[in-house]
Amino acid sequence: MNQVLAAVILFASLLSFSVSTGTSSSMAQSGTQVPAQANSSHLTSQTPTILAEAPLDSNMSGNTKAKYLVLVMTDGQYRIEEEPGPFTGPNWTGTFELQLLDEKRSPLSTLRLNDAFDELLFQKSFSFAFADYNHDGNIDFAIGQYASSNLYTYKLFTIRDGKIERLPIESDNEIVSSERSYSVLFAQVSPDSFKTVYYDNSLGKYLERVYQWKNTTFSLIREAETDSL
């Protein structure tokens, strides 16, 4: 009798696990975010998950075949952080790619985002903010990551000749902002320069930085106190 009861309990446990993982897998395959589940705070997946997407026209892509720009987690982990802090809630960590897709959603160009950052973590889906920061006629965009409670650090990218490329910045001058979004539209000061505003905890003040395109890289040309964002 005990053996029969144990078998029933084991079968019920396996059935519950199968249903739970099957639901998570189908959500990931649909290209949507994996929602929070009451009985699971971790999910490791090799199924691509789209976290950002934007349609492109031929002027934006530099290639008439490219119709979409997407940010995809190609391999990694989704989890729900329950400890209070800056990362409470949904978290996607792992390997991420920027991809240009054609109208059939086949990749035309890819760029491994992990090569631009030490670590990558996203807590929600977002939209790309496009501009032309260096006045070369190509579409540029920024991707940011959490650095502190009031600071994100950013890298710049461009779409040129149908490919995604990084826009370089002088190694000692990070792009920082207190706007705290994964993709920000920076205010342009001139056709080839833009500004950011961030709060410096050590000074207890807001600072404004102006970056300008010089030859083949962005340089920090000015930093001064300002009122606020």
Side-chain angles (χ1 to χ4, degrees):
M1 183 65 179
N2 290 338
Q3 291 179 342
V4 173
L5 180 60
V8 171
I9 293 173
L10 177 60
F11 175 79
S13 299
L14 291 174
L15 180 61
S16 175
F17 175 79
S18 176
V19 171
S20 174
T21 54
T23 301
S24 300
S25 176
S26 64
M27 291 296 291
Q29 289 175 2
S30 70
T32 61
Q33 296 186 38
V34 180
Q37 298 182 39
N39 63 343
S40 177
S41 60
H42 292 78
L43 174 66
T44 299
S45 176
Q46 294 180 333
T47 303
T49 302
I50 294 176
L51 291 176
E53 178 172 343
L56 301 173
D57 59 33
S58 58
N59 294 327
M60 296 170 68
S61 67
N63 183 335
T64 56
K65 294 183 179 180
K67 300 300 182 183
Y68 307 95
L69 172 68
V70 297
L71 173 66
V72 182
M73 185 180 77
T74 58
D75 183 19
Q77 183 182 77
Y78 167 82
R79 64 186 176 87
I80 300 173
E81 179 58 62
E82 297 176 355
E83 291 294 324
F87 304 117
T88 301
N91 284 260
W92 283 265
T93 57
T95 303
F96 296 85
E97 282 187 354
L98 291 165
Q99 299 180 355
L100 286 178
L101 308 180
D102 63 16
E103 60 183 6
K104 296 182 178 180
R105 304 189 70 83
S106 298
L108 298 172
S109 175
T110 64
L111 184 70
R112 190 174 183 272
L113 191 60
N114 298 67
D115 294 337
F117 293 90
D118 294 332
E119 294 183 71
L120 284 170
L121 182 150
F122 295 96
Q123 293 188 278
K124 60 183 179 179
S125 61
F126 61 96
S127 300
F128 293 105
F130 295 119
D132 181 5
Y133 294 118
N134 59 353
H135 196 51
D136 65 353
N138 297 310
I139 288 298
D140 309 323
F141 58 97
I143 298 291
Q145 286 287 282
Y146 175 94
S148 70
S149 60
N150 51 27
L151 192 72
Y152 270 47
T153 60
Y154 291 88
K155 310 293 183 182
L156 287 179
F157 302 87
T158 190
I159 301 174
R160 179 166 47 201
D161 298 327
K163 296 182 179 180
I164 308 167
E165 302 175 0
R166 279 189 62 183
L167 285 176
I169 183 171
E170 290 180 344
S171 58
D172 295 336
N173 298 315
E174 285 189 310
I175 299 175
V176 294
S177 174
S178 288
E179 293 194 56
R180 293 177 291 178
S181 177
Y182 292 125
S183 189
V184 171
L185 184 63
F186 298 125
Q188 292 194 244
V189 179
S190 69
D192 63 351
S193 66
F194 65 92
K195 67 179 181 179
T196 69
V197 176
Y198 73 98
Y199 185 78
D200 188 319
N201 281 325
S202 64
L203 298 176
K205 299 177 180 179
Y206 282 96
L207 299 177
E208 178 183 279
R209 284 186 172 185
V210 177
Y211 302 86
Q212 186 172 38
W213 184 255
K214 294 185 177 181
N215 297 321
T216 59
T217 187
F218 276 104
S219 299
L220 176 63
I221 62 170
R222 187 172 71 249
E223 184 174 62
E225 291 183 22
T226 188
D227 293 333
S228 63
L229 285 174

